[in-house]
Amino acid sequence: MDNSIILIGGGVLLGLIIGFIIAKTIEKKNASKLVKEAKKSASLILKEAKSEGESIKKDKILQAKEKFIELKSEHEKVILSRDKKMAEAEKRTRDKESQVSSELAKNKKLNDSLESKIKDYNHRLDVLDKKQDELDKLHKNQVQQLEVISSLSAEEAKEQLVESLKGEAKNDAQAFIQNAMEEAKLTAEQDAKKIIINTIQRIGTEEAVDNCVSVFNIESDDVKGRIIGREGRNIRAIEAATGVEIIVDDTPEAIILSCFDSVRREIARLSLHKLVTDGRIHPARIEEVVQKTKKQIDQEIIEVGKRTVIDLGIHNLHPELIKVVGRMKYRSSYGQNLLQHSREVAKLCGVMAAELGLNPKLAKRVGLLHDIGKVPDAEADMETPHAILGMQWAEKYGEKDDVCNAIGAHHDEIEMKSLLAPIVQVCDAISGARPGARRQVLDSYIQRLKDLEDIAFGFTGVKKAYAIQAGRELRVIVESEKVDDQKAADLSFNISQKVQTDMTYPGQVKVTVIRETRAVNIAK
């Protein structure tokens, strides 16, 4: 039993040893086979790598050759363009050289001709000098012979001749002057009258004297109540904002606007028209509309000035002077509208200048501007005569000296230095002296109302001042922050005493001081 187990164990062990040897043998064969396959694949990879390397090498060589060819062609193009430019430059150089050579040849010919002419001129000058010497000798001989014959020297003969000619010329001149003066005395006055009459006959204008009231027409009398407002607050607001007295009476479908200043009347009329058309009439709206209307009037003044200078054919007038011309529409001189008067004077000056052979355009310019000093900007300008003020403005805005002198001299404030000055003076007198052209009483009345307002403005705290009811009432609006109720009463008394002391006027003047306090807030 034990022997069989040993035999079985020995057999198993022998089998294991034999199996191990066989496995090793098989493994060795497989390894050698794998080595052979690896060597074979490695040789194949090497062959493929070599072939790819050769192909890459060939490609790179081809690319290098192509790049070389490309660079070579570009280089050849650059060389060709440079050669072309050099050839063109050489050609231009050759052309310039040929041109310069031709110019040199021409200059040489000119120089040769000039030298020949200079030689000819020098020869002629020598001949002329010789002839001049011969003439001088002959002249001296003739003078000596004449002196011997007349027994007088040349200087004595000259003196006698000059004296005789002086006497004859003096007698002739005196006779001519006497005849000219007599003829001038006979014809000057007649010619002057003829020129003035012809000028007046050629200028025909309508004349309208400015009034101090305007009529505002309404569609129905119901509008009057809306204009007056509750307890009269609307009409008071309009009067305070415009400075115009509004008269609402029994006149059907009409309201009267009364004020000496035509600008204020026009602002009030246009404002009322806007308010009535819009339908919203209350104090805040009234102030807004009045402010807008004032701006509209300012723009209209500029447009009037532009239309006036275009109608008269006046060019290159300064914008500030155009604005002054437009403001003349709302000013009057002794009741005569200032713009119409200036237009008429401009036309008269143009016709008269043309009759006298002067520049009619310049004369029209002076005629239009001669009364610009009657439209002052500030109170300080009121103290300067209007002719001098107008001359100063004309000088300030670049007008010519003749124009400035004619403006300043048309009332003899300064000396007249050009012929335009007497023409403007005469035409101004013609325009103002015609029957119905002016009214002295109206101008003094307007001046009295302006003086009333100026007295009120002389006190501190006064915001606005309006003379209304034909100068029988002075309405003063003060600043509520600077003037309290007590000071308002004192101000009314002081203004009334100032008016009573400084002015002369018919009847009585009522001084009303208005102090208004407002509280305004905005809900957001």
Side-chain angles (χ1 to χ4, degrees), residues 40-262:
K40 188 177 180 181
S41 63
S43 63
L44 290 173
I45 290 169
L46 287 172
K47 287 180 181 179
E48 289 177 358
K50 285 181 180 180
S51 62
E52 287 180 1
E54 291 294 331
S55 63
I56 291 170
K57 183 179 179 181
K58 289 179 181 179
D59 291 338
K60 294 296 181 181
I61 291 170
L62 288 174
Q63 289 178 2
K65 288 181 179 179
E66 290 176 356
K67 187 67 175 178
F68 175 75
I69 293 169
E70 184 180 353
L71 293 172
K72 185 178 179 182
S73 63
E74 290 180 358
H75 183 64
E76 288 176 352
K77 289 180 181 178
V78 172
I79 290 172
L80 288 173
S81 65
R82 287 181 181 176
D83 292 341
K84 186 178 179 180
K85 289 180 180 179
M86 289 178 66
E88 292 176 353
E90 289 177 356
K91 184 180 178 182
R92 288 197 297 269
T93 305
R94 287 195 298 270
D95 293 340
K96 287 183 179 179
E97 287 177 354
S98 62
Q99 186 178 357
V100 168
S101 61
S102 62
E103 291 291 335
L104 288 173
K106 289 180 182 178
N107 290 333
K108 187 176 180 182
K109 290 180 181 179
L110 290 173
N111 288 331
D112 294 338
S113 64
L114 283 173
E115 288 178 359
S116 63
K117 288 181 180 180
I118 289 169
K119 289 179 181 179
D120 188 18
Y121 290 151
N122 290 331
H123 178 67
R124 290 184 181 183
L125 286 173
D126 294 337
V127 173
L128 288 174
D129 290 339
K130 291 178 181 179
K131 289 184 178 181
Q132 186 67 37
D133 293 338
E134 292 176 359
L135 285 174
D136 291 339
K137 290 178 181 179
L138 288 173
H139 179 68
K140 287 181 180 178
N141 292 331
Q142 288 178 354
V143 170
Q144 289 175 358
Q145 290 176 5
L146 288 172
E147 288 178 353
V148 172
I149 293 170
S150 62
S151 68
L152 290 173
S153 65
E155 295 296 330
E156 292 174 350
K158 284 181 182 178
E159 290 178 0
Q160 288 184 4
L161 181 61
V162 168
E163 289 296 330
S164 63
L165 291 174
K166 278 184 180 180
E168 292 178 3
K170 196 172 185 180
N171 293 331
D172 292 342
Q174 288 179 351
F176 178 77
I177 291 171
Q178 187 67 26
N179 293 331
M181 289 181 65
E182 291 177 358
E183 185 178 357
K185 287 179 181 179
L186 292 174
T187 60
E189 186 175 355
Q190 184 178 358
D191 290 341
K193 289 181 179 179
K194 181 179 178 182
I195 291 173
I196 292 173
I197 291 171
N198 288 336
T199 303
I200 295 173
Q201 288 175 343
R202 291 175 64 181
I203 303 296
T205 57
E206 298 181 357
E207 196 58 50
V209 178
D210 284 348
N211 297 315
C212 289
V213 295
S214 298
V215 178
F216 178 71
N217 296 314
I218 55 178
E219 295 180 357
S220 64
D221 289 339
D222 296 337
V223 180
K224 291 183 179 179
R226 292 165 57 195
I227 293 174
I228 294 172
R230 182 180 299 176
E231 298 178 357
R233 65 174 186 172
N234 290 343
I235 195 169
R236 286 198 302 272
I238 296 172
E239 289 180 347
T242 61
V244 175
E245 182 181 4
I246 300 177
I247 301 172
V248 182
D249 52 15
D250 296 334
T251 306
E253 298 181 354
I255 293 174
I256 298 173
L257 310 177
S258 175
C259 182
F260 69 93
D261 192 334
S262 55

Side-chain angles (χ1 to χ4, degrees), residues 207 336 340-342 344-345 348 426-434 437-438:
E207 196 58 50
Q336 184 182 22
Q340 294 298 328
H341 165 67
S342 298
E344 184 177 354
V345 171
L348 289 168
V426 170
C427 294
D428 183 33
I430 291 171
S431 175
R434 289 184 293 102
R438 292 186 173 184

Side-chain angles (χ1 to χ4, degrees), residues 299-311:
Q299 187 63 33
E300 183 180 349
I301 284 172
I302 296 174
E303 293 298 325
V304 168
K306 289 180 179 178
R307 287 198 301 270
T308 301
V309 297
I310 290 172
D311 292 343

Side-chain angles (χ1 to χ4, degrees), residues 268-338:
R269 188 185 69 79
L270 292 175
S271 300
L272 275 175
H273 177 72
K274 292 179 181 179
L275 289 168
V276 171
T277 304
D278 183 55
R280 294 177 294 168
I281 305 177
H282 52 83
R285 176 66 177 164
I286 288 168
E287 291 183 0
E288 179 185 353
V289 170
V290 169
Q291 290 299 323
K292 291 182 179 179
T293 306
K294 286 180 179 178
K295 293 180 180 179
Q296 179 183 345
I297 290 293
D298 291 339
Q299 187 63 33
E300 183 180 349
I301 284 172
I302 296 174
E303 293 298 325
V304 168
K306 289 180 179 178
R307 287 198 301 270
T308 301
V309 297
I310 290 172
D311 292 343
L312 294 176
I314 297 172
H315 305 287
N316 299 325
L317 197 64
H318 195 278
E320 289 297 327
L321 293 180
I322 292 176
K323 191 183 296 185
V324 174
V325 170
R327 287 209 304 268
M328 288 196 292
K329 178 183 177 182
Y330 300 101
R331 294 290 185 273
S332 62
S333 176
Y334 298 100
Q336 184 182 22
N337 183 268
L338 193 57

